[in-house]
Amino acid sequence: MAGMKTATGDYIDSSWELRVFVGEDDPEAESVTLRVTGESHIGGVLLKIVEEIKRKQDWSDHAIWWEQKRQWLLQTHWTLDKYGLLADARLFFGPQHRPIILRLPNRRALRLRASFSQPLFQAVASICRLLSIRHPEELSLLRAPEKKEKKKKEKEPEEELFDLTKVVLAGGVAPALFRGMPAHFSDSAQTEACYHMLSRPQPPPDPLLLQRLPRPSSLLDKTQLHSRWLDSSRCLMQQGIKAGDMLWLRFKYYSFFDLDPKTDPVRLTQLYEQARWDLLLEETDCTEEEMMVFAALQYHINKLSQSGEAGEPTGTDPGLDDLDAALNNLEVKLEGSASTDVLDNLTTIPELKDHLRIFRPRKLTLKGYRQHWVVFKETNLSYYKSQDEAPGDPIQQLNLKGCEVVPDVNVSGQKFCIKLLVPSPEGMSEIHLRTSMPTGWPAADWHPRAAPWRTAAMPAKCRPFWPSSACSGQAVGAQATTPRALTPLPRASTPTALLPPASSESSRPSRCQRKVLSANPHFPDEGPEAQRS
């Protein structure tokens, strides 16, 4: 038991004294001395510290910071031995959330409380939740640049600083809306003005102010600018940030997702402001045409902000939402033609049809591929003797549900085949579907032109191998207007040219030659003579 003494006052147990400073990282702060053992857990040490301070206040946000290890002792069930903590450790008992000054993308500043114990990724998520910014994974914090000492000390104008340190959000609950803004911004006139600053574009900056602001003059300066990003996996205390320091909040990852003007006014405004300041300070490279487009956009935004139309809270009347949806549908119908209207074709079942050659391998058969008119609809594959007989009864109708599809495609050899293993009462029956290269199509463009097959209900493995002319009623594509003639495969490059010449006694290939021809997958079909051989 800790604290056992002899008659002379010496301790006879394994306990030792632990000194803890109360407050932030300050050597002159108040300290308390505790008698602990290696088996004491962090929760018991926290309780002893509060009892020694003898001051009534809310200690729920306080934790112990180990200065030598630069580590927060947040696992209250861990013992001192598990942390490796000894009597020479410098410990500070202070709050986990501390105030910082945050410079926003629109160059305005505000004071708020940020977490110094959580990883930076979670701290940024808490800040974005307070500022009503969705998708905090797009943003991060970076250090403010060091101010250079000026020979002539000029009196800088006082900057308006919004204070959000007293705003507290309930954990796990989405902020409710009140009067078109989050409820925690409607508590006072100052917080309401802060929300208007966040969600509305700022007026154009003073040209004299732009001349005094630092800007990168070389590639080295831009590299130093990006070297100030903080590590997202470490907390602010581990990166040397102290209470009251200024940090910049910026969009770091330009992969924006789910941008909605109704729910993201702050996010869109800050994104626009960051792009504008990056162009003004030459922190990003762009062409003159892009600058002109952005200048035109900035002109219209300034006009709307001056007229008071921008940033007004939008109503949530369901009748207006239905009206917007009806207008969007009407716009889609007016832009499209009657034959290709997407809204009218939602109930029609797509089908593919084209001339294909079908072969059913059987024992002791000498017949090759036979050409049929094939129609694919839903999961049924029907083939007819000719296209004129398509409205009638098919020769055979196959249900491809549960079948196995094996593509056999060789573009250079002009071989486009699909092997189907269709389940039947006798077992798996094998069927080969084969098509030739569409006339006028180059070999390199055959796969992109098979887009209609991807929209069908066929299994995904065989979708890239159906010819795009099979989709009735749809255009082939923009590239089909300038077809290129196919270059025939040279005779010398065929496998038959590589074989030894046949004997003069017989013009038929030998048994060895037939084995080579049948085993070569790149050998194109050469008509009935090659099939009979």
Side-chain angles (χ1 to χ4, degrees), residues 152 172 195 216 246 281 431:
K152 296 182 180 179
Y195 181 77
M246 177 176 288
L281 298 181
I431 301 176

Side-chain angles (χ1 to χ4, degrees), residues 128-133 167 169 174-188 191-192 194-196 198-199 262-263 265-266 313:
C128 292
R129 184 168 176 265
L130 177 65
L131 301 181
S132 186
I133 299 178
V167 177
L169 295 180
L177 295 179
F178 181 72
R179 293 187 302 178
M181 66 180 69
H184 59 274
F185 279 109
S186 59
D187 296 338
S188 62
T191 56
E192 188 173 350
C194 179
Y195 181 77
H196 292 325
L198 292 170
S199 59
K262 293 185 178 180
T263 57
V266 179

Side-chain angles (χ1 to χ4, degrees), residues 86-105:
L86 301 176
D88 60 346
R90 288 181 58 85
L91 304 179
F92 291 88
F93 180 67
Q96 302 180 48
H97 291 78
R98 302 177 186 182
I100 61 172
I101 299 177
L102 195 66
R103 180 76 66 180
L104 299 173

